[in-house]
Each structure stands twice: as C-alpha cells, then as structure tokens.
Amino acid sequence: MTKSKPNIVILSGAGISAESGLGTFRDKGGLWDEHDINDVATPEAWQKNPTLVLDFYNQRRQSVIDAKPNSAHFSLVDLEKKFNVSIVTQNIDDLHERAGSSSVMHLHGEIRKAQCSIDEFEVIEIEGGGLEMGEMSSSGHQLRPHVVWFGEAVPKMNEAEALVAEADLFIVVGTSLNVYPAANLIYSCKKLCKKYIVDINELTNAKFKNLVHLKGKASEKMPELVKSIIKEYS
Ligand code: APR
C-alpha cells in the first residue's frame, strides 16, 4: 500500500537562484557586502534618496530578466506534478514561476512589480527593466518597487505560517534563515513533519538542528531530493 500523498511546503531563499547568476545577500561578496541596506532597502532610504533606491532595484531587475531558472527550480515543477506543493519564497525574482511552478508565495515581494508609494495594495507589473522617478500610480503618487523593505511588515506571514502548519514535508533551500519573521516559519511545522535543508555550506544556525541537511549545490541536491521523495511516496 503506498503512503498517502504528503503536503509539501518549500521555503526558498537566494541560494536557489545563485546558480542562475543572481547574487545572494550574506555570502562573501554578496549584495549586502556591496550595498548598505540603509541606503537602498529601507523606507528611510526611499525618503532620503528614491533615485538611488530605484537604480539599485533597476540593476537587480535587469539581472533577473537576464537570468534563467536552474535545475533546482525545475525539480520543484517535477515535484508538483505528483504532489501538493506550495512554495514560500523570500526571493523577489520570478524564477520559480518561469520554471513552471504554479503555487508561489513571495514573502518579500516581487521585483518585476511596482506599488503605489502611498497605497501598497495598488500593484502593477513593470514593463521592461526600469522604474523611474516620475512614473506615477493611478492615484498620482510615485511608484516604488513592490518589495518588502527592512522595517516593513511581511503581509503574507500568517498565510505562510498556515501553509507550513499543514506540511508533511518541509524543505528549506538556499536560505541562511537570518531574516525575521520568515526565519520563524521553521517553528510552524507540526510535530511529525519531516524537515530537510539543502544548503551548500555547513549549517551554523541552531535552528537547523532537527533538519536533514543535504550539503551541496541546490542545482544538484534538489533534483536528488525530489527523486528520492517521488520514489518513497509513489
Ligand atoms: N546552493 C545551495 N545553497 C546555496 C548556494 C547554492 N548554490 N549558494 C548559496 N547558498 C546558501 C548559502 O549558504 C546561504 O545559507 O544560500 C543561503 C543564502 O543566504 P542569504 O544570502 O542570507 O539569503 P536569504 O537567506 O535568502 O536572505 C533572506 O534577507 O536581505 C534579505 O530580503 C532579503 O529575502 C532576503 C532575506
């Protein structure tokens, strides 16, 4: 008798897109080595120098447009063909969607969208790569990147916690779990949930002690893990 089909929730971070050429944040030479968070990723930065903030995200957006999903992203598409898979990502790139994943929740926003700088619920797609000063929302206010900045609330956190609480398998991939509240999602798992983490580095974070660590590149370890899950539950 085959095991009942598990609910699978993925929590992804910058490490899943690293092999697509998109920089991570806290690795050596990462984005926060090159840029001061306080200059480009806080509401205060936006008030002080919105042009610098727009330039920072315009550069990152062009890199996202030029990037392609890698085998880690595609392995999750294979997984959802057989199981109920929900992806909760901290990433603002659209590589999960471009790989073909159909259930993707962006905790920290989406770089290819803009929002009204006054009404956060007015969100539009950004055509092409740039968002410039003078581009206004329908209510006549400057558009800003649809990204959650440090110090801002994470609107989808409750929804994400509810998803993780239903998971039978919880797979963390490519995140240092250094940023809250996303990092607390690991505590939303139910007691019998099986937890894995795919990460290229040794795990220093105490949070990871109850997770099965598959040490290596996401592009290699994710397909391996997906294959073993499909074998175990089919
Ligand atoms: N394969 C697997 N893991 C990798 C790879 C790879 N090729 N490359 C890097 N990693 C791992 C690193 O070891 C690290 O644990 O990915 C993780 C990346 O961690 P961070 O750079 O901190 O990125 P992330 O955890 O996604 O950051 C969370 O912080 O700045 C905010 O909003 C931003 O969403 C971001 C959040």
Side-chain angles (χ1 to χ4, degrees), residues 184-196:
N184 282 330
L185 279 174
I186 203 159
Y187 301 119
S188 298
C189 294
K190 57 191 178 190
K191 202 164 171 40
L192 294 179
C193 176
K194 277 172 85 172
K195 294 178 270 193
Y196 300 89

Side-chain angles (χ1 to χ4, degrees), residues 170 172 194-198 203 208-215 225:
F170 184 54
V172 178
K194 277 172 85 172
K195 294 178 270 193
Y196 300 89
I197 176 158
V198 170
L203 300 176
F208 294 135
K209 63 178 183 309
N210 299 327
L211 281 74
V212 174
H213 180 202
L214 289 89
K215 188 173 182 297
L225 177 57

Side-chain angles (χ1 to χ4, degrees), residues 13-15 18-19 24-27 32 90-91 108 150 174-177 179 199-201 216-218:
E19 292 160 84
T24 60
F25 294 93
R26 294 168 188 83
D27 288 321
W32 299 144
Q90 298 171 90
N91 298 341
H108 295 157
F150 287 92
T175 175
S176 60
L177 281 191
V179 169
D199 200 294
I200 199 166
N201 287 319
K217 289 179 178 178

Side-chain angles (χ1 to χ4, degrees), residues 9-180:
V9 176
I10 313 291
L11 174 60
S12 66
I16 198 170
S17 299
E19 292 160 84
S20 296
L22 298 182
T24 60
F25 294 93
R26 294 168 188 83
D27 288 321
K28 197 165 168 10
L31 274 162
W32 299 144
D33 275 356
E34 291 164 12
H35 301 273
D36 182 334
I37 288 172
N38 297 302
D39 290 339
V40 293
T42 65
E44 294 75 15
W46 175 249
Q47 293 306 322
K48 187 170 155 227
N49 189 344
T51 307
L52 180 65
V53 173
L54 289 176
D55 288 349
F56 173 69
Y57 285 97
N58 285 346
Q59 285 168 40
R60 289 182 61 197
R61 189 175 304 106
Q62 194 52 56
S63 309
V64 168
I65 291 167
D66 296 342
K68 291 191 177 22
N70 65 60
S71 50
H73 299 100
F74 289 119
S75 70
L76 294 174
V77 182
D78 296 340
L79 195 61
E80 82 168 43
K81 285 177 188 147
K82 294 200 179 276
F83 304 107
N84 177 24
V85 176
S86 305
I87 297 174
V88 177
T89 186
Q90 298 171 90
N91 298 341
I92 58 177
D93 67 55
D94 59 350
L95 296 184
H96 282 302
E97 291 90 339
R98 283 161 57 194
S101 287
S102 56
S103 168
V104 183
M105 179 195 295
H106 288 268
L107 282 182
H108 295 157
E110 300 176 66
I111 198 165
R112 297 190 73 171
K113 292 180 179 172
Q115 71 186 56
C116 173
S117 50
I118 301 300
D119 171 12
E120 64 184 83
F121 296 105
E122 186 184 340
V123 177
I124 60 164
E125 299 280 341
I126 295 172
E127 301 307 324
L131 181 61
E132 307 300 343
M133 289 306 287
E135 289 191 58
M136 311 305 258
S137 65
S138 58
S139 56
H141 300 99
Q142 174 65 46
L143 285 168
R144 58 163 269 192
H146 178 51
V147 171
V148 177
W149 284 328
F150 287 92
E152 292 187 316
V154 177
K156 296 184 177 173
M157 194 58 200
N158 290 342
E159 200 184 328
E161 283 167 345
L163 265 182
V164 174
E166 293 302 311
D168 302 304
L169 294 185
F170 184 54
I171 302 171
V172 178
V173 48
T175 175
S176 60
L177 281 191
N178 268 312
V179 169
Y180 292 83

